[in-house]
Amino acid sequence: MKLVIFIPCLNEETTLPPVLESIPAHIKGIDEIETIIIDDGSTDKTVEVAKSYGVKNIVHHPKNRGLAHSFRDGIRAALELGADVIVMTDGDNQYPQDRIPDLIAPIVAGRADVVIGDRQTHTIAHFSPFKKFLQRFGTWVLNQAANTDVPDATTGFRAWSREAAMQVNLISRYTFGMETFIQAGNKRHAIETIVIKTNAKTRESRLFKSSLQHARRQALIIARSFIMYKPGVVFLGLSGITLLLGLIPFVKYLFDFLLNHHPFGAHHL
């Protein structure tokens, strides 16, 4: 069984070494481990650092394209390498790479299609109360949309079986987190969770300028996913609302008709 780990990177020359150093060299049930670096337009020595650690598989973006593009390219490159299990982790060393064996264990055992690392966002010290609220609320909304029960919808520490990865069809240009969960839920993938502790913060997030911007973009992703996977609910709901609004002018005349045999008088409507 082959494991492929892909790491999206944007100017991670200082944080990438501890990531690569902490990836296990041997994992029970895995015969081969390969690593892919997705260089999303780095202008520092990220690629040189990766090569110095023996990384041979590098996908290069001439300019920054965003995390969603890096995710798509990582999944595709891993499948092209013949991966049976695929893991995504971050180049900023946020996640504990030594937990990769625990992350992939449910897939290796045949119990799960997708496994996530729950960061327990309510315990992360550098998350503001507002950001923690947005994380909880966004995760709740996602679970309603996907009919799932995941505790951390935006974690980037995840694993997929080959079959589950082949069914990923990402549309967003911004991020992948919630959209892939909604797809997994609607495609009836078996999802499991392991609890992890994140490493110390190394830099500010580059995904969004503010929590409100992040919430707005995630809301658009959820709305688009609802339209794709539950069009009946969306469009019947919208048409029902407009139908009720359209009936409002007729309520008075219906009321008059029930109480008065000549509700319209001598004039025409």
Side-chain angles (χ1 to χ4, degrees):
M1 184 172 286
K2 184 173 184 176
L3 167 65
V4 175
I5 303 163
F6 72 90
I7 310 171
C9 293
L10 173 61
N11 297 332
E12 308 288 10
E13 65 177 357
T14 59
T15 57
L16 187 57
V19 175
L20 296 175
E21 290 169 2
S22 58
I23 292 176
H26 304 282
I27 299 175
K28 184 178 180 180
I30 299 296
D31 304 308
E32 185 180 358
I33 302 174
E34 287 200 53
T35 302
I36 302 172
I37 295 298
I38 312 298
D39 170 34
D40 194 25
S42 297
T43 56
D44 65 356
K45 297 181 179 180
T46 295
V47 173
E48 289 83 347
V49 168
K51 290 180 178 178
S52 72
Y53 278 85
V55 178
K56 299 178 180 178
N57 306 297
I58 297 175
V59 177
H60 177 65
H61 295 166
K63 64 179 291 185
N64 177 248
R65 296 179 181 175
L67 186 57
H69 282 280
S70 295
F71 172 81
R72 272 193 293 264
D73 287 348
I75 289 289
R76 183 174 64 246
L79 290 172
E80 288 174 352
L81 286 175
D84 298 297
V85 184
I86 301 172
V87 164
M88 176 182 178
T89 189
D90 278 357
D92 63 358
N93 199 34
Q94 175 185 174
Y95 301 113
Q97 280 67 236
D98 59 354
R99 295 294 308 280
I100 289 177
D102 300 321
L103 186 70
I104 69 172
I107 296 176
V108 174
R111 300 195 314 268
D113 301 302
V114 181
V115 184
I116 70 166
D118 174 17
R119 298 169 294 173
Q120 305 176 86
T121 53
H122 63 282
T123 67
I124 299 178
H126 64 267
F127 276 18
S128 68
F130 182 59
K131 186 172 183 178
K132 291 178 181 178
F133 166 76
L134 287 179
Q135 293 282 354
R136 290 195 302 270
F137 180 71
T139 296
W140 177 82
V141 172
L142 176 137
N143 284 322
Q144 302 307 306
N147 295 318
T148 55
D149 187 24
V150 298
D152 186 0
T154 58
T155 179
F157 193 52
R158 309 186 184 196
W160 295 264
S161 68
R162 180 176 180 84
E163 291 73 19
M166 290 177 68
Q167 295 180 43
V168 172
N169 180 29
L170 198 62
I171 296 175
S172 171
R173 293 182 297 173
Y174 168 59
T175 185
F176 69 95
M178 290 192 167
E179 187 175 351
T180 53
F181 268 130
I182 291 173
Q183 290 186 19
N186 281 279
K187 291 175 181 178
R188 304 298 184 184
H189 289 163
I191 303 173
E192 287 199 18
T193 302
I194 67 167
V195 174
I196 63 170
K197 289 185 178 180
T198 57
N199 297 323
K201 181 180 177 181
T202 57
R203 59 167 172 76
E204 296 297 329
S205 173
R206 296 168 179 158
L207 289 178
F208 49 89
K209 296 179 181 179
S210 69
S211 294
L212 285 177
Q213 182 193 56
H214 181 58
R216 183 170 63 251
R217 290 183 176 181
Q218 294 288 26
L220 290 174
I221 292 170
I222 291 173
R224 184 167 59 239
S225 297
F226 251 112
I227 292 172
M228 179 179 294
Y229 289 100
K230 297 187 177 181
V233 173
V234 174
F235 292 111
L236 284 175
L238 291 174
S239 62
I241 292 172
T242 55
L243 175 63
L244 291 175
L245 292 173
L247 289 175
I248 287 176
F250 299 94
V251 173
K252 174 184 181 299
Y253 299 103
L254 177 62
F255 181 77
D256 287 343
F257 179 78
L258 295 175
L259 298 182
N260 187 347
H261 293 295
H262 303 285
F264 307 133
H267 59 278
H268 297 281
L269 296 177

